[in-house]
Amino acid sequence: MTSGPWPREPSPRFTRWRGELDEWRGEHAPSGRRFQATAAYSSQLYYEHGGVDEVGTVADLTWLARTGEQIKASQQVVWDVHAREVLEAAGEGGLEATAEALLDSTEWIRRLAREGQPVREGSDAAQRAREVVDACPPNPLVRGEEVWGLWESLAGARRTCEGLRDQLLLELADEGCPRTRMADGLGWSYGRLRRRLVRLEDERAARIQRARQGEVPGIIDLESRRASSRRR
């Protein structure tokens, strides 16, 4: 997705859009958005993409990997919708004025112009983004800002998925599951899995150490209960 030469001065239309965005922000505190990126909605999106609660096998790793890829694909669609709206605004306002209005940087807008793609219509993500856009006034600054709230909700869904994956990786490793099976289940190389496990084990050791020092109450007890449960 590219854009032609940026205007040097904002057009009267852009000035009106910016005034509407300021009013919109004032009416939708604290984020300035009507569309709120909440934990509840992120959880809903996780399940809508095929997420599950109970995991414990290598097959579940494969399922989580597939779910994560589906969420990632939805994020890309929503990212492209955001790019489309922001670049429409920049076509009237120029780089500096658009970045200032969106409380962002000119480099971010340049990145949207370089990397944004035509929106993949027909997908569930495109439909969700369309519903957000349709609830906004015909103002690409407002629409771009609101659609970014949807992107953040999808990011939360992806974090949920990756958190469950990492938890399962540690549990399978503790149970002695062959690492080649775990890597195959995720579709990863053995080296990538090994690096991820090293990082997760280091983070767990650091949490336990902080708990021993009284910084994270309850972590040691939780880890011991999980270990006892696995042994049973």
Side-chain angles (χ1 to χ4, degrees):
M1 183 178 293
T2 58
S3 177
W6 309 105
R8 293 188 178 183
E9 296 293 334
S11 69
R13 177 184 293 180
F14 181 87
T15 301
R16 175 171 56 80
W17 285 343
R18 181 164 185 179
E20 290 175 353
L21 176 63
D22 291 340
E23 291 178 8
W24 190 264
R25 282 199 177 113
E27 294 172 1
H28 300 290
S31 71
R33 299 188 187 118
R34 175 180 177 275
F35 185 93
Q36 298 295 323
T38 65
Y41 189 58
S42 289
S43 178
Q44 176 185 328
L45 288 171
Y46 168 70
Y47 293 120
E48 288 180 1
H49 283 80
V52 293
D53 285 323
E54 300 297 327
V55 293
T57 67
V58 172
D60 292 326
L61 279 180
T62 302
W63 188 264
L64 287 169
R66 185 180 301 118
T67 299
E69 286 302 312
Q70 290 172 346
I71 296 171
K72 182 180 178 181
S74 291
Q75 277 186 284
Q76 182 60 57
V77 171
V78 173
W79 198 92
D80 290 334
V81 175
H82 173 73
R84 181 189 67 197
E85 299 296 334
V86 170
L87 293 176
E88 180 182 344
E92 294 280 344
L95 281 175
E96 289 76 12
T98 304
E100 184 179 331
L102 292 172
L103 308 179
D104 221 313
S105 68
T106 57
E107 181 50 41
W108 173 249
I109 299 174
R110 291 183 190 277
R111 180 184 171 191
L112 294 175
R114 285 194 312 270
E115 301 178 15
Q117 299 294 320
V119 175
R120 185 163 58 86
E121 302 291 352
S123 63
D124 289 343
Q127 177 59 35
R128 291 187 186 99
R130 190 177 307 112
E131 290 170 358
V132 174
V133 167
D134 288 348
C136 298
N139 179 328
L141 289 172
V142 172
R143 289 175 171 178
E145 188 76 357
E146 293 289 329
V147 166
W148 193 250
L150 176 57
W151 188 94
E152 289 181 344
S153 294
L154 285 162
R158 192 170 168 189
R159 285 193 296 271
T160 296
C161 186
E162 292 175 350
L164 282 170
R165 178 204 67 196
D166 289 346
Q167 174 185 320
L168 181 55
L169 281 175
L170 282 173
E171 291 177 356
L172 290 172
D174 290 345
E175 291 168 2
C177 180
R179 295 189 175 190
T180 51
R181 284 190 61 207
M182 295 160 65
D184 288 344
L186 287 169
W188 289 5
S189 68
Y190 182 83
R192 180 181 177 186
L193 174 71
R194 181 181 59 80
R195 290 189 298 272
R196 187 62 186 164
L197 279 173
V198 167
R199 179 175 176 180
L200 292 173
E201 288 165 352
D202 287 347
E203 290 173 351
R204 179 170 62 179
R207 286 196 305 271
I208 292 172
Q209 181 62 31
R210 290 198 303 272
R212 289 197 177 107
Q213 297 170 354
E215 296 176 21
V216 189
I219 292 293
I220 291 179
D221 183 50
L222 176 62
E223 293 288 345
S224 65
R225 287 204 306 273
R226 286 179 176 168
S228 298
S229 175
R230 285 194 292 268
R231 286 195 293 271
R232 289 198 298 271

